[in-house]
Amino acid sequence: MKALKTLNPYFWKHKILLFWGVLFIIASNFFNIYKIQFVGKSVDELTKNGNLGFNRQVLLYVAIIVGCSLLTGFFTFMMRQTIIVASRRIEYELKNKIYRHYQDLSLTEYKQTTIGDLMNRLSEDVVAVRMYLGPGVMYVANLIVLVVITAIYMLKTDVSMTLWTLLPLPVLSYAIYKVSSVINRKSKIMQKSQSAISTFVQDSFSGIRVVKFFAREQYIEKNYGVKVTDYQDKALDLAKTEAYFFTIILFVIGLLNVAIIWIGGQKYIAGELSIGKIADFFMYINTLIFPFSMVGWVTSVNQRAEASMQRINEFMDKKSGIVNKNFEHYPVKGDIEFRNVSYVYPNTGIKALNNISFTVKAGESLAIMGKTGSGKSTIALLLCRLIDPTEGEILIDGKNLKEHNLENYRNAIGYIPQESYLFSDSIENNIGFAIDQPTHEKVVKYAKIADVDKNITGFKEQYNTMVGERGVMLSGGQKQRICIARALIKDPNIIIFDDSLSALDTETEQNILENIDRKILNATSIIITHRESSAQRADKIINLTEINNSLTA
């Protein structure tokens, strides 16, 4: 259970709630066990001299039993209101911590995993951990307290009978220990299979248009069936192993009841024990039945939580290659210089850039051209500091980009990626996404600069039109222009077009570039393109070739 040790700081943070929870566990179990002795006393009182009629003493015992039952119920409720509430708060904090960490990771880390796996760790794995934090802790603590209190009352009743009835418990503990290691291994296998399903579903529905276009629904459904069947087999295998717990526990409880009848019967015949005391023993043991029957379930829950926490820790232990060390706020002019910059993608080993150098003054525009694979988009990623150079350095306003305040710098740049990505939200919210509290007037202003306002006003809901997932309701050109408006609404000092005019006709493209020249003053523009028409308006043009990424101006 080493992976679960990382949760210890959360237990310490919520120690007050957990402390009260333990006190309520003690109180609820005390009153639950305390009342049992009055059941035996009632049986002995009623059977005394064959008196089965009204008995004032029995009525008192019944009142005590009812009162203790009410107190047990109240303290059990309070136990859940402390321990379970603490587990929910820890779940909330853990999910937020994981989500923040996901956002801190660099693009390189995201390329080495899948969205489905990330989602599974944030949802299914955290839920499994929460079951350990809440029910797992609560039932274990409850069982320990219950066994201690019950053993004390059983010893007060009869020592030898207590020893005989509690003797099988160490055997039960050993059996649980042996099976739990198997459950841990099978839990990890099942969680990996579940992640594979999440990844497949996310991928297939993201590409649903491609699936439908090629009429491959049956193929996708068949593959999905294979993965679900694999998960089902692993889940059933795990369930069969977990079932051994309940079988072992019920068998042991059966042995305990037989022991009570045999030993208690002999003591009754010898006159050493009354019927009421034997009845007490039956109730003591049966009080332990449910907590001990939960041992198997709790152990499997804790083993699943350990497997899930190990998967979560794998990601939490990853450190982003992009680290911000400067937290000052200052204006960014827009001077750009690449000095002998090279970059090798770590996941493929491909050298995308080799010893590239160029300079762009603030307010100038640079067009970057070249064949596919020549490293144009890599330059855009480097400029946004989504990745860092393998060799060389990038200077912004004469200072190494790594030394800039990353948040401050990114607020000063507008980036339009090669793939036009829109959130499943309204057009207005997609354009205004780049800034805090955008006004409708400002959204419209930049939609006009991006030459998309006339399309938006033609929609029935206009700027309130929902674009669908990834902007599926819009054309490629409309998505590109909305992305351009989203980048420009920041009034950036550096604008980067990563081949983001490709879906536009020449006239629309020229309108946008003219609007930018006229209304986005003094901004440094980097235009990555295949089109000569896009490059003609630039102050400088460089061409990347695939041979050693040589650069010509």
Side-chain angles (χ1 to χ4, degrees), residues 111-127:
K111 289 182 178 180
Q112 295 174 353
T113 186
T114 60
I115 301 300
D117 187 48
L118 292 175
M119 293 293 293
N120 201 62
R121 293 178 199 238
L122 188 59
S123 55
E124 299 295 330
D125 286 336
V126 173
V127 169

Side-chain angles (χ1 to χ4, degrees), residues 326-342:
N326 184 347
F327 300 96
E328 298 178 5
H329 290 276
Y330 47 85
V332 175
K333 288 169 50 182
D335 287 328
I336 299 172
E337 182 180 357
F338 271 51
R339 286 185 184 174
N340 305 316
V341 172
S342 299

Side-chain angles (χ1 to χ4, degrees), residues 153-366:
Y153 276 94
M154 290 173 74
L155 288 169
K156 286 174 61 179
T157 305
D158 190 277
V159 176
S160 62
M161 197 167 174
T162 300
L163 295 177
W164 278 107
T165 51
L166 296 183
L167 190 63
L169 293 184
V171 178
L172 180 65
S173 299
Y174 178 75
I176 289 172
Y177 169 75
K178 295 298 289 183
V179 180
S180 65
S181 60
V182 179
I183 286 179
N184 183 33
R185 176 173 55 82
K186 293 184 177 182
S187 293
K188 292 177 182 178
I189 295 173
M190 188 192 72
Q191 290 291 71
K192 288 182 179 179
S193 180
Q194 191 172 42
S195 289
I197 293 175
S198 299
T199 299
F200 182 83
V201 170
Q202 191 273 336
D203 196 39
S204 59
F205 283 115
S206 294
I208 190 66
R209 287 184 293 179
V210 177
V211 173
K212 288 184 175 294
F213 178 79
F214 287 100
R216 299 296 287 170
E217 290 90 345
Q218 291 184 354
Y219 170 79
I220 293 293
E221 186 176 347
K222 181 181 177 182
N223 285 348
Y224 176 72
V226 170
K227 294 185 182 299
V228 171
T229 301
D230 178 69
Y231 173 75
Q232 176 185 260
D233 293 341
K234 289 178 171 57
L236 287 175
D237 187 34
L238 177 62
K240 289 176 183 177
T241 305
E242 291 173 345
Y244 288 122
F245 280 109
F246 298 98
T247 304
I248 293 170
I249 290 169
L250 291 175
F251 177 72
V252 172
I253 295 299
L255 289 178
L256 294 178
N257 282 314
V258 170
I260 292 171
I261 294 173
W262 175 255
I263 300 170
Q266 288 182 329
K267 286 181 176 289
Y268 174 73
I269 293 172
E272 298 175 6
L273 210 62
S274 67
I275 294 177
K277 296 297 183 182
I278 296 174
D280 285 349
F281 259 91
F282 271 111
M283 292 199 67
Y284 287 136
I285 291 300
N286 281 281
T287 301
L288 292 172
I289 287 177
F290 176 73
F292 265 103
S293 67
M294 295 302 292
V295 168
W297 178 80
V298 169
T299 305
S300 66
V301 163
N302 291 349
Q303 292 293 340
R304 285 186 182 183
E306 198 275 339
S308 294
M309 198 65 212
Q310 188 173 355
R311 283 164 45 80
I312 291 171
N313 288 340
E314 286 175 359
F315 256 83
M316 297 303 291
D317 291 339
K318 289 184 177 182
K319 304 300 180 184
S320 175
I322 309 297
V323 180
N324 185 30
K325 299 179 180 179
N326 184 347
F327 300 96
E328 298 178 5
H329 290 276
Y330 47 85
V332 175
K333 288 169 50 182
D335 287 328
I336 299 172
E337 182 180 357
F338 271 51
R339 286 185 184 174
N340 305 316
V341 172
S342 299
Y343 185 77
V344 178
Y345 281 99
N347 54 320
T348 61
I350 295 174
K351 194 165 192 177
L353 293 175
N354 183 28
N355 199 29
I356 297 296
S357 299
F358 62 83
T359 302
V360 184
K361 298 291 185 182
E364 288 185 344
S365 57
L366 169 70

Side-chain angles (χ1 to χ4, degrees), residues 39 44 49 66 134 165 251 368 419 435 452 461 480 490 550:
V39 175
D44 288 340
N49 301 321
V66 172
T165 51
F251 177 72
I368 302 176
E419 180 185 356
I435 60 175
V452 72
E461 301 293 331
Q480 277 194 345
K490 297 169 66 177
S550 59

